[in-house]
Amino acid sequence: MNNSKAILKTPGTMKIIPADIPVPKDDEVLINIEYVGICGSDVHGFESGPFIPPKDPNQEIGLGHECAGTVVAVGRGVKKFKIGDKVNIEPGVPCGKCRYCLEGKYNICPDVDFMATQPNYRGALTHYLCHPESFTYKLPENMDTMEGALVEPAAVGIHAAMLADVKPGKKIVILGAGCIGLMTLQACRCMGATDIVVVDVLAKRLEMALKLGARHVIDGAAADVASRCQELLGDAGADIVFESAGAQATVKLAPYLVMRGGKIMIVGTVPGDTPINFLKINREVSIQTVFRYANRFPVTIEAISSGRFDVKSMVTNIYDYEDVQRAFEESVNNKKDIIKGVIKVAG
């Protein structure tokens, strides 16, 4: 067996280099990685470097954290897995000791070791990867490893919908129909909501939103979004507004769409200082940020396995591992056509 890994040599340049095959610790499994999803954070890292730059300028930077593959070795203390199991991983390993971990909110652990960022910046774009048994999940027989890799972004949508307490009958607006917005749409559908409006400026994304269950879509570049949402949902507005574009413009728009006593869920990563018109939400509207997920992988895997959550149809581009440079260049330069790209490492 030979191993290699794709690293970010400099912003805009990926390079595949030789790597040792890691040896699993007692509580780890060794996985032959088959698919890696390209996340928006990976694209940002490719363009500009990591969101949180390493303190050491010589730190090796890996990209990729949405991954799945097959177990090829197990540590001597591993009990849940055997060689040949199809698995995916939860890419953040928390400390397990702090207040947040002990309260079950390990996604906000200040010492989490999350792939492709601090402290180790190890990426999933490699043939062989070790990961703790406790954050590894066996895939059902009817799920393949491409679907397994996409559990991670789907779990973001599930987490957002569950935090928002989505229920049948709720009126929902989703701002942004990129991967996470569409995952949030599907999560809301899984939880029984049907009156869902999706807003974006790209036609291909709006077409996909309709395919995945949105009742209405709005081209944000061509319409007055607030007026159109009132026409579709009523003058009161939406029970829940999900901001999933990660843009200041959509954050500013959200208060004009939500009803009294409603919720604004900030799912996207919004840069900089963003003014909010608090007079528009001064009727017990709540604003909550959504950070990754906690305890959501099992329910997300079940939703995909049952057929209620379709991640595969969102994949528009599949790249070979050797074409990793092209994969990221196209992800940057062809955003209007790419909804979700994945890299086939092995299999």
Side-chain angles (χ1 to χ4, degrees):
M1 296 191 301
N2 295 314
N3 194 23
S4 67
K5 56 186 173 182
I7 63 168
L8 183 68
K9 196 67 177 173
T10 59
T13 304
M14 298 293 293
K15 184 176 181 181
I16 296 175
I17 62 172
D20 293 332
I21 296 175
V23 177
K25 298 175 183 177
D26 287 353
D27 64 342
E28 292 183 335
V29 296
L30 177 65
I31 304 167
N32 180 202
I33 299 297
E34 295 173 14
Y35 284 97
V36 178
I38 302 173
C39 176
S41 64
D42 297 320
V43 177
H44 176 276
F46 174 76
E47 285 188 277
S48 309
F51 278 113
I52 304 175
K55 295 178 182 178
D56 180 359
N58 297 314
Q59 170 75 52
E60 185 177 278
I61 305 295
L63 295 179
H65 58 267
E66 306 170 1
C67 63
T70 302
V71 174
V72 292
V74 298
R76 59 185 178 181
V78 170
K79 295 180 171 59
K80 294 193 299 183
F81 301 101
K82 65 182 185 303
I83 293 172
D85 284 344
K86 292 186 301 179
V87 297
N88 69 355
I89 67 167
E90 194 167 336
V93 180
C95 75
K97 300 175 182 178
C98 69
R99 167 184 173 176
Y100 309 105
C101 287
L102 295 177
E103 290 178 351
K105 296 181 282 190
Y106 61 83
N107 55 320
I108 55 174
C109 168
D111 295 316
V112 65
D113 181 0
F114 199 90
M115 294 184 71
T117 187
Q118 63 178 350
N120 295 316
Y121 296 89
R122 68 177 186 130
L125 286 166
T126 182
H127 289 286
Y128 295 99
L129 177 74
C130 284
H131 205 68
E133 174 186 35
S134 54
F135 285 91
T136 303
Y137 299 85
K138 187 174 180 179
L139 300 177
E141 287 299 319
N142 67 337
M143 276 181 65
D144 60 32
T145 50
M146 182 189 291
E147 292 172 305
L150 298 180
V151 166
E152 198 274 348
V156 176
I158 291 281
H159 188 56
M162 293 181 76
L163 282 180
D165 194 26
V166 172
K167 295 176 181 177
K170 294 289 186 180
K171 296 180 179 181
I172 293 169
V173 173
I174 299 173
L175 299 173
C179 175
I180 296 302
L182 294 172
M183 294 294 190
T184 303
L185 163 63
Q186 292 204 71
C188 292
R189 292 279 298 170
C190 283
M191 296 176 67
T194 57
D195 203 357
I196 304 172
V197 178
V198 175
V199 182
D200 203 283
V201 297
L202 297 177
K204 189 165 185 176
R205 293 181 178 184
L206 295 175
E207 290 169 9
M208 182 61 71
L210 287 171
K211 178 180 177 181
L212 295 175
R215 178 168 290 177
H216 305 284
V217 297
I218 299 173
D219 180 349
D224 180 326
V225 175
S227 297
R228 183 67 179 134
C229 282
Q230 281 189 325
E231 291 174 11
L232 296 171
L233 299 177
D235 290 343
D239 293 279
I240 307 166
V241 177
F242 292 95
E243 194 292 320
S244 60
Q248 291 187 354
T250 43
V251 173
K252 292 176 184 178
L253 176 62
Y256 295 86
L257 309 179
V258 69
M259 67 173 56
R260 298 176 178 220
K263 298 177 182 178
I264 298 173
M265 307 296 292
I266 308 297
V267 189
T269 301
V270 185
D273 297 329
T274 304
I276 295 288
N277 185 347
F278 277 91
L279 285 177
K280 293 298 296 182
I281 57 172
N282 188 25
R283 296 295 184 271
E284 298 198 353
V285 169
S286 61
I287 301 177
Q288 181 168 358
T289 60
V290 179
F291 190 64
R292 296 173 182 158
Y293 38 72
N295 307 300
R296 305 302 193 201
F297 264 50
V299 67
T300 306
I301 290 170
E302 192 280 330
I304 295 170
S305 175
S306 70
R308 292 178 294 123
F309 201 121
D310 177 11
V311 292
K312 229 171 185 180
S313 69
M314 293 173 54
V315 175
T316 52
N317 297 68
I318 302 173
Y319 300 93
D320 290 334
Y321 175 65
E322 292 76 15
D323 294 328
V324 62
Q325 176 70 24
R326 180 169 67 88
F328 279 100
E329 287 178 352
E330 291 188 2
S331 296
V332 170
N333 299 321
N334 197 22
K335 292 178 180 177
K336 67 182 179 65
D337 293 321
I338 296 176
I339 293 174
K340 185 66 179 177
V342 299
I343 296 173
K344 185 178 181 180
V345 179

